Amino acid sequence: MTALRPETATVSTWAPFASKVYRALWIAQLVSNLGTWMQTVGAQWLLVDQPHAAILVSLVQTATTLPVMLLVIPAGVLADLVDKRRLLIGAQSAMALTAAVLAVSTAAGHTTPTVLLTLLFLLGCGSALTMPTWQSIQPELVPREQIPAASALNGLSVNGARAVGPAIAGVLVSIAGPTFVFALNAVSFVGIVVVLVLWRRPVKEETLPVERPFAALQAGMRYVRSGPAIRRVLLRAVLFIIPASALWALLPVVAHEKLGLSSSGYGVMLGALGVGAVGGGLSFAVLRRQLTATRMVTLSAVLFGAATLVTAMVDRLPLVLLALVIAGVGWPLAMSTFNSTMLLMLPAWVRARGMSVYTLLFMGGQAIGSLLWGALANAIGVEKALLLAAALLAFCAVSVLWWPIRQDATGFDMTPLAYWPEPYVVCEPDPADGPVLILQNYTVPKESVDQFLTDMARVGRSRQRTGAMEWRIYRDVGAADRYVEAFVVRSWEEHMRQHQVRLTAQDERNERRVAEFAIGEDRTTHLIAVADAK
């Protein structure tokens, strides 16, 4: 029997609800998610009688997701530079106002397709600002060991609203029309704003000036690029999302052409996915006690792949519905694993930027995958396209043998830790001075060289994640056992961020392995580039 993993053995699915702020925000977010799904149905219904309705209805989804694709990376940068609570209050308030304008405009009869799509685009911009910010505050709301459970509960909120929201909206639209659901969506944002206003988020003292946006963007991308474990999670996400998007994209065609169902029958199929997703969200914490992140991803791919295979080959509705429930279980298991693993691997100073990269890959993978699978189904048929998707999901499951998630993310200690001594200077550099060259000398006995170089590779990645543009280890040909570490940082201000903000306990653990080889007490040299001589 698999032993319980210590860090999750006592964490239940509902443990994050012990936090009053998390509980209040989760309830408010659930209401807002319901409002969003009801708005989508109302918007589509408003367009069904318009000329060229098919293309207009499809543009509803485009109008809400395109801004996320365009703005989520800048939004992640912004979230790491400003107060996240205030940013969320501003974004949610703006979305409430935009939704209210949509309701009033519709009531007055002024909501043309152009007006509707424009307002939906603006709401999508608000979603782009919200996504990485919302994800990055989760570690502030619950203890570290509860982050996987919190990710599962957040997924439960999204999937539960997806399962219930359209059905509620269908009834309300038929009774009161689209205006009513638009108004409800506007009101649904109020709860989040109220909870955020009441939340007394601790304010951190900042001794350094705010990062410039472009420099912050570069720092965020450098962190992701220099983190092999993070890149591995992103790779696993892409390997799952691209083939999994086939089932979501082709399900309407399966319902209509293969099973001969009406729109209500298609709704039942979506409901089966929703029921499975709720079950997957509720079982996530239990499974995490038994399975590593890699095995969770494997299980998700197997479940979703098997469901895709059945959907491709079976034309009996009860069996297809059972398969969709299984697919629904697999989806949140994968999404919660990816989300929580990323959160656990990212330190606070770059968390929103890292999560914005994940969100872009997730949303982009679904959008591009849906387009590719639609084109492929048109060329070779829906059944063959789904069979190919099932095969790729099988490959996703097997590929963990070569590309596992590098280690369980709970083993990463991302606690901020300013352990570097302040550099000795005889004249205080200007923050903009640079580039800065930092040199570190080591004496390494011959028998320890191989282990030293292995450990220094980890140190080098740490330097690059926290700000180094270049890093290299050199051997001194004038001394038998002398090695010199050299890395370059863009400016003195950037280097001070390494000292004061960006280092973590994980970085300190990596450096401790090579500290015994460092030479002398004053073992680090700082060199600042000077202007070219005339």
Side-chain angles (χ1 to χ4, degrees):
M1 180 177 178
T2 305
L4 294 182
R5 294 159 60 241
E7 72 280 356
T8 58
T10 60
V11 178
S12 74
T13 303
W14 313 107
F17 283 156
S19 165
K20 293 181 179 179
V21 177
Y22 177 85
R23 184 171 67 246
L25 281 173
W26 188 90
I27 294 171
Q29 184 70 6
L30 175 62
V31 173
S32 181
N33 287 334
L34 286 169
T36 299
W37 280 104
M38 288 193 292
Q39 171 194 266
T40 300
V41 173
Q44 292 172 334
W45 188 260
L46 197 63
L47 295 172
V48 293
D49 292 327
Q50 297 288 330
H52 311 294
I55 187 65
L56 289 174
V57 169
S58 66
L59 285 175
V60 168
Q61 196 67 23
T62 302
T64 54
T65 57
L66 182 61
V68 176
M69 301 282 292
L70 297 175
L71 300 177
V72 71
I73 296 292
V77 173
L78 182 63
D80 278 331
L81 299 186
V82 303
D83 184 275
K84 293 180 175 64
R85 170 179 162 272
R86 293 181 178 178
L87 178 59
L88 284 172
I89 291 173
Q92 294 293 305
S93 299
M95 292 174 75
L97 180 60
T98 304
V101 170
L102 176 57
V104 172
S105 174
T106 305
H110 299 316
T111 304
T112 64
T114 301
V115 170
L116 176 63
L117 294 173
T118 300
L119 292 173
L120 291 178
F121 183 87
L122 293 176
L123 285 166
C125 293
S127 295
L129 283 173
T130 298
M131 282 183 177
T133 313
W134 180 265
Q135 292 172 322
S136 66
I137 67 169
Q138 301 304 305
E140 300 180 37
L141 304 177
V142 299
R144 179 178 176 83
E145 65 272 12
Q146 293 181 9
I147 288 177
S151 294
L153 287 173
N154 291 338
L156 184 63
S157 170
V158 173
N159 290 308
R162 174 186 287 172
V164 176
I168 296 175
V171 174
L172 293 178
V173 168
S174 65
I175 296 174
T179 301
F180 187 65
V181 294
F182 293 158
L184 285 179
N185 186 46
V187 174
S188 73
F189 293 105
V190 174
I192 295 179
V193 174
V194 170
V195 176
L196 289 170
V197 169
L198 296 177
W199 177 28
R200 293 295 176 257
R201 183 173 183 255
V203 178
K204 295 182 180 180
E205 294 289 336
E206 296 288 348
T207 58
L208 294 170
V210 176
E211 286 184 85
R212 290 167 294 178
F214 185 69
L217 174 63
Q218 289 181 310
M221 297 305 102
R222 186 188 306 118
Y223 191 95
V224 172
R225 188 172 62 250
S226 303
I230 291 175
R231 295 201 312 271
R232 182 61 56 80
V233 176
L234 297 176
L235 171 63
R236 298 249 42 106
V238 170
L239 288 175
F240 178 81
I241 290 168
I242 293 291
S245 64
L247 187 61
W248 292 103
L250 301 178
L251 196 60
V253 183
V254 172
H256 178 69
E257 295 185 2
K258 187 174 183 179
L259 301 177
L261 300 178
S262 64
S263 59
S264 61
Y266 173 57
V268 171
M269 296 176 75
L270 288 179
L273 278 167
V275 169
V278 171
L282 292 175
S283 63
F284 178 78
V286 176
L287 291 171
R288 278 288 286 162
R289 298 174 199 172
Q290 302 288 341
L291 303 177
T292 63
T294 297
R295 290 181 178 178
M296 287 286 283
V297 171
T298 304
L299 176 61
S300 302
V302 169
L303 292 175
F304 214 91
T308 303
L309 180 65
V310 171
T311 304
M313 300 186 68
V314 174
D315 57 5
R316 295 180 60 185
L317 180 59
L319 292 178
V320 172
L321 291 178
L322 178 60
L324 292 177
V325 170
I326 293 172
V329 172
W331 183 261
L333 294 184
M335 296 304 102
S336 296
T337 299
F338 296 140
N339 189 281
S340 61
T341 304
M342 287 290 293
L343 285 173
L344 289 167
M345 287 181 175
L346 292 165
W349 69 269
V350 74
R351 188 172 291 137
R353 279 167 278 186
M355 293 308 296
S356 71
V357 174
Y358 165 72
T359 302
L360 178 62
L361 285 179
F362 172 68
M363 300 292 288
Q366 280 194 296
I368 295 173
S370 297
L371 181 63
L372 292 176
W373 289 115
L376 188 62
N378 189 58
I380 66 175
V382 173
E383 181 177 326
K384 290 181 179 179
L386 288 174
L387 288 174
L388 178 59
L392 290 176
L393 284 164
F395 173 76
C396 175
V398 174
S399 66
V400 299
L401 297 173
W402 308 288
W403 306 312
I405 293 177
R406 284 183 174 267
Q407 80 178 69
D408 191 20
T410 50
F412 290 86
D413 187 354
M414 292 302 168
T415 306
L417 187 65
Y419 60 90
W420 282 0
E422 286 298 309
Y424 173 75
V425 296
V426 295
C427 57
E428 186 66 31
D430 186 83
D433 287 347
V436 182
L437 172 64
I438 298 93
L439 302 176
Q440 173 86 56
N441 297 313
Y442 300 90
T443 296
V444 186
K446 184 177 180 180
E447 63 273 13
S448 301
V449 168
D450 289 342
Q451 186 60 49
F452 169 77
L453 293 177
T454 299
D455 293 337
M456 282 303 298
R458 296 190 183 94
V459 172
R461 288 193 291 269
S462 169
R463 308 286 199 230
Q464 292 172 308
R465 285 194 301 269
T466 56
M469 298 185 298
E470 300 177 30
W471 177 89
R472 207 167 187 89
I473 188 80
Y474 295 88
R475 182 176 181 179
D476 187 345
V477 297
D481 300 330
R482 179 73 57 83
Y483 289 81
V484 179
E485 175 195 10
F487 62 97
V488 178
V489 182
R490 182 179 301 277
S491 67
W492 186 253
E493 177 188 324
E494 188 86 353
H495 186 50
M496 287 300 97
R497 292 190 187 281
Q498 286 184 301
H499 272 266
Q500 300 176 24
V501 178
R502 295 179 178 175
L503 294 172
T504 67
Q506 184 70 27
D507 298 313
E508 193 271 340
R509 184 187 302 173
N510 291 334
E511 288 192 44
R512 200 187 309 144
R513 294 176 176 141
V514 299
E516 62 179 292
F517 302 112
I519 300 174
E521 294 182 1
D522 186 17
R523 58 200 187 198
T524 304
T525 302
H526 295 80
L527 306 175
I528 294 181
V530 297
D532 295 336
K534 298 295 184 182

